[in-house]
Short mmCIF file of all heavy atoms in Angstrom, two decimals:
data_model
loop_
_atom_site.label_atom_id
_atom_site.label_comp_id
_atom_site.label_asym_id
_atom_site.label_seq_id
_atom_site.Cartn_x
_atom_site.Cartn_y
_atom_site.Cartn_z
N ASN A 1 -78.32 74.04 64.33
CA ASN A 1 -79.48 73.17 64.23
C ASN A 1 -80.18 73.09 65.46
O ASN A 1 -79.74 73.54 66.61
CB ASN A 1 -79.14 71.88 63.54
CG ASN A 1 -77.98 71.16 64.34
OD1 ASN A 1 -78.02 71.18 65.66
ND2 ASN A 1 -77.05 70.68 63.68
N TYR A 2 -81.41 72.32 65.46
CA TYR A 2 -82.20 72.17 66.79
C TYR A 2 -81.39 71.42 67.86
O TYR A 2 -81.51 71.64 68.95
CB TYR A 2 -83.53 71.58 66.52
CG TYR A 2 -84.27 71.26 67.72
CD1 TYR A 2 -84.77 72.32 68.51
CD2 TYR A 2 -84.35 69.89 68.28
CE1 TYR A 2 -85.37 72.06 69.70
CE2 TYR A 2 -85.02 69.75 69.45
CZ TYR A 2 -85.47 70.83 70.19
OH TYR A 2 -86.08 70.64 71.39
N ARG A 3 -80.55 70.57 67.43
CA ARG A 3 -79.80 69.58 68.22
C ARG A 3 -78.86 70.56 69.24
O ARG A 3 -78.98 70.42 70.47
CB ARG A 3 -79.04 68.54 67.63
CG ARG A 3 -78.04 67.66 68.44
CD ARG A 3 -77.44 66.72 67.67
NE ARG A 3 -76.53 65.81 68.51
CZ ARG A 3 -75.80 64.77 68.12
NH1 ARG A 3 -75.70 64.61 66.83
NH2 ARG A 3 -75.17 64.14 68.94
N GLU A 4 -78.23 71.49 68.51
CA GLU A 4 -77.39 72.44 69.32
C GLU A 4 -78.18 73.30 70.19
O GLU A 4 -77.79 73.66 71.28
CB GLU A 4 -76.49 73.30 68.34
CG GLU A 4 -75.33 72.45 67.70
CD GLU A 4 -74.62 73.37 66.75
OE1 GLU A 4 -74.65 74.56 66.75
OE2 GLU A 4 -73.68 72.78 66.11
N TYR A 5 -79.42 73.85 69.59
CA TYR A 5 -80.33 74.72 70.34
C TYR A 5 -80.78 73.99 71.57
O TYR A 5 -80.78 74.58 72.72
CB TYR A 5 -81.52 75.08 69.45
CG TYR A 5 -82.14 76.50 69.85
CD1 TYR A 5 -81.85 77.65 69.53
CD2 TYR A 5 -83.29 76.47 70.77
CE1 TYR A 5 -82.45 78.76 69.81
CE2 TYR A 5 -83.96 77.37 71.07
CZ TYR A 5 -83.55 78.73 70.65
OH TYR A 5 -84.22 79.77 71.04
N ALA A 6 -81.24 72.76 71.37
CA ALA A 6 -81.81 72.02 72.64
C ALA A 6 -80.68 71.77 73.64
O ALA A 6 -80.90 71.78 74.76
CB ALA A 6 -82.27 70.69 72.20
N ALA A 7 -79.37 71.60 73.20
CA ALA A 7 -78.34 71.44 74.11
C ALA A 7 -78.10 72.70 75.02
O ALA A 7 -77.94 72.64 76.30
CB ALA A 7 -77.04 71.05 73.39
N ARG A 8 -78.25 73.90 74.42
CA ARG A 8 -78.17 75.04 75.12
C ARG A 8 -79.29 75.29 76.10
O ARG A 8 -79.07 75.65 77.20
CB ARG A 8 -78.15 76.30 74.08
CG ARG A 8 -76.99 76.35 73.07
CD ARG A 8 -75.65 76.76 73.78
NE ARG A 8 -75.08 75.94 74.72
CZ ARG A 8 -74.58 74.72 74.22
NH1 ARG A 8 -74.35 74.48 73.03
NH2 ARG A 8 -74.03 73.99 75.20
N LEU A 9 -80.52 74.78 75.71
CA LEU A 9 -81.69 74.92 76.55
C LEU A 9 -81.44 74.10 77.85
O LEU A 9 -81.81 74.46 78.89
CB LEU A 9 -82.99 74.54 75.85
CG LEU A 9 -83.46 75.43 74.82
CD1 LEU A 9 -84.77 74.87 74.13
CD2 LEU A 9 -83.76 76.91 75.28
N ARG A 10 -80.96 72.84 77.60
CA ARG A 10 -80.65 71.90 78.68
C ARG A 10 -79.75 72.44 79.74
O ARG A 10 -79.83 72.36 80.86
CB ARG A 10 -80.29 70.59 78.15
CG ARG A 10 -81.43 69.80 77.52
CD ARG A 10 -81.12 68.29 77.25
NE ARG A 10 -79.87 68.15 76.45
CZ ARG A 10 -79.98 68.09 75.11
NH1 ARG A 10 -81.17 68.11 74.50
NH2 ARG A 10 -78.88 67.78 74.41
N GLU A 11 -78.68 73.02 79.06
CA GLU A 11 -77.60 73.61 79.96
C GLU A 11 -78.12 74.75 80.77
O GLU A 11 -77.77 74.86 81.92
CB GLU A 11 -76.31 73.91 79.21
CG GLU A 11 -75.16 74.26 79.95
CD GLU A 11 -73.85 74.11 79.21
OE1 GLU A 11 -73.86 74.05 77.95
OE2 GLU A 11 -72.71 74.20 79.77
N MET A 12 -78.76 75.55 80.18
CA MET A 12 -79.37 76.82 80.82
C MET A 12 -80.29 76.47 81.99
O MET A 12 -80.29 76.92 83.08
CB MET A 12 -80.14 77.69 79.84
CG MET A 12 -79.22 78.49 79.00
SD MET A 12 -80.09 79.74 78.04
CE MET A 12 -81.18 78.68 77.01
N ALA A 13 -81.14 75.24 81.71
CA ALA A 13 -81.96 74.72 82.77
C ALA A 13 -81.26 74.23 83.91
O ALA A 13 -81.68 74.29 85.14
CB ALA A 13 -82.88 73.68 82.21
N ARG A 14 -79.98 73.66 83.75
CA ARG A 14 -79.22 73.19 84.78
C ARG A 14 -78.62 74.27 85.58
O ARG A 14 -78.44 74.23 86.82
CB ARG A 14 -78.05 72.37 84.37
CG ARG A 14 -78.52 70.95 83.86
CD ARG A 14 -77.35 69.89 83.63
NE ARG A 14 -76.48 70.36 82.58
CZ ARG A 14 -76.54 70.09 81.31
NH1 ARG A 14 -77.54 69.31 80.95
NH2 ARG A 14 -75.72 70.42 80.39
N ILE A 15 -78.32 75.41 84.92
CA ILE A 15 -77.86 76.61 85.75
C ILE A 15 -78.90 77.44 86.32
O ILE A 15 -78.73 77.72 87.54
CB ILE A 15 -77.03 77.50 84.65
CG1 ILE A 15 -75.77 76.67 84.11
CG2 ILE A 15 -76.56 78.83 85.41
CD1 ILE A 15 -75.12 77.44 83.01
N GLY A 16 -79.99 77.65 85.66
CA GLY A 16 -81.03 78.53 86.10
C GLY A 16 -82.13 77.53 86.58
O GLY A 16 -83.18 77.33 85.95
N THR A 17 -81.95 77.04 87.84
CA THR A 17 -82.84 76.09 88.32
C THR A 17 -84.21 76.74 88.61
O THR A 17 -85.31 76.07 88.68
CB THR A 17 -82.31 75.66 89.70
OG1 THR A 17 -81.94 76.69 90.58
CG2 THR A 17 -81.20 74.63 89.41
N ASP A 18 -84.13 78.03 88.74
CA ASP A 18 -85.49 78.87 88.94
C ASP A 18 -85.93 79.61 87.76
O ASP A 18 -87.07 79.86 87.40
CB ASP A 18 -85.51 79.78 90.17
CG ASP A 18 -85.40 78.94 91.49
OD1 ASP A 18 -86.24 78.14 91.87
OD2 ASP A 18 -84.27 79.21 92.20
N LEU A 19 -84.82 80.12 87.16
CA LEU A 19 -85.04 80.97 85.86
C LEU A 19 -84.27 80.39 84.80
O LEU A 19 -83.12 80.80 84.46
CB LEU A 19 -84.61 82.43 86.15
CG LEU A 19 -85.26 83.16 87.30
CD1 LEU A 19 -84.67 84.53 87.47
CD2 LEU A 19 -86.75 83.25 87.10
N PRO A 20 -84.90 79.36 84.13
CA PRO A 20 -84.12 78.62 83.04
C PRO A 20 -84.03 79.35 81.78
O PRO A 20 -83.13 78.88 80.92
CB PRO A 20 -84.93 77.26 82.95
CG PRO A 20 -86.38 77.72 83.26
CD PRO A 20 -86.24 78.75 84.32
N TYR A 21 -84.75 80.38 81.48
CA TYR A 21 -84.80 81.01 80.12
C TYR A 21 -84.55 82.49 80.31
O TYR A 21 -85.34 83.25 80.50
CB TYR A 21 -86.22 80.89 79.45
CG TYR A 21 -86.76 79.47 79.37
CD1 TYR A 21 -88.00 79.17 79.91
CD2 TYR A 21 -85.94 78.44 78.82
CE1 TYR A 21 -88.38 77.87 79.92
CE2 TYR A 21 -86.45 77.20 78.77
CZ TYR A 21 -87.71 76.81 79.28
OH TYR A 21 -88.14 75.57 79.28
N PRO A 22 -83.19 82.92 80.09
CA PRO A 22 -82.89 84.31 80.21
C PRO A 22 -83.55 85.02 79.07
O PRO A 22 -83.82 84.57 77.98
CB PRO A 22 -81.31 84.24 80.01
CG PRO A 22 -81.06 83.14 79.21
CD PRO A 22 -82.10 82.14 79.67
N ARG A 23 -83.64 86.38 79.34
CA ARG A 23 -84.31 87.24 78.27
C ARG A 23 -83.34 87.32 77.02
O ARG A 23 -83.92 87.38 75.91
CB ARG A 23 -84.33 88.63 78.78
CG ARG A 23 -84.90 89.61 77.88
CD ARG A 23 -85.17 90.98 78.59
NE ARG A 23 -85.78 92.03 77.79
CZ ARG A 23 -86.24 93.10 78.21
NH1 ARG A 23 -85.96 93.54 79.45
NH2 ARG A 23 -86.85 94.09 77.42
N ALA A 24 -82.10 87.07 77.12
CA ALA A 24 -81.20 87.06 76.00
C ALA A 24 -81.44 85.99 75.05
O ALA A 24 -80.98 86.06 73.89
CB ALA A 24 -79.69 87.04 76.51
N LEU A 25 -82.19 84.87 75.51
CA LEU A 25 -82.56 83.83 74.59
C LEU A 25 -83.21 84.40 73.32
O LEU A 25 -83.18 83.78 72.13
CB LEU A 25 -83.26 82.77 75.27
CG LEU A 25 -83.77 81.52 74.48
CD1 LEU A 25 -82.52 80.73 73.96
CD2 LEU A 25 -84.67 80.60 75.34
N ALA A 26 -84.14 85.36 73.50
CA ALA A 26 -84.84 85.90 72.36
C ALA A 26 -84.01 86.54 71.44
O ALA A 26 -84.20 86.51 70.23
CB ALA A 26 -85.91 86.97 72.91
N GLY A 27 -82.78 87.22 71.89
CA GLY A 27 -81.79 87.81 71.01
C GLY A 27 -81.09 86.67 70.07
O GLY A 27 -81.00 86.85 68.91
N VAL A 28 -80.78 85.59 70.77
CA VAL A 28 -80.12 84.54 69.98
C VAL A 28 -81.03 83.97 68.97
O VAL A 28 -80.75 83.73 67.83
CB VAL A 28 -79.73 83.48 71.07
CG1 VAL A 28 -79.13 82.22 70.23
CG2 VAL A 28 -78.56 83.95 71.95
N GLU A 29 -82.28 83.74 69.46
CA GLU A 29 -83.24 83.18 68.52
C GLU A 29 -83.52 84.16 67.19
O GLU A 29 -83.57 83.77 66.14
CB GLU A 29 -84.58 82.97 69.17
CG GLU A 29 -85.67 82.41 68.20
CD GLU A 29 -86.99 82.83 68.56
OE1 GLU A 29 -87.19 83.97 69.07
OE2 GLU A 29 -88.01 82.12 68.30
#
């Protein structure tokens, strides 16, 4: 669900301080 998706986005933003959205996100979506 979106709750889990949003949690993944937040965690990626903490790791990727400059690049928060990896290209692989499109594959997961």
Side-chain angles (χ1 to χ4, degrees):
N1 50 46
Y2 175 69
R3 181 178 179 181
E4 290 185 5
Y5 200 90
R8 299 283 69 77
L9 293 177
R10 289 193 297 270
E11 190 163 11
M12 288 188 295
R14 288 194 294 270
I15 296 168
T17 52
D18 297 299
L19 301 180
Y21 307 125
R23 184 172 182 175
L25 181 62
V28 174
E29 181 214 32

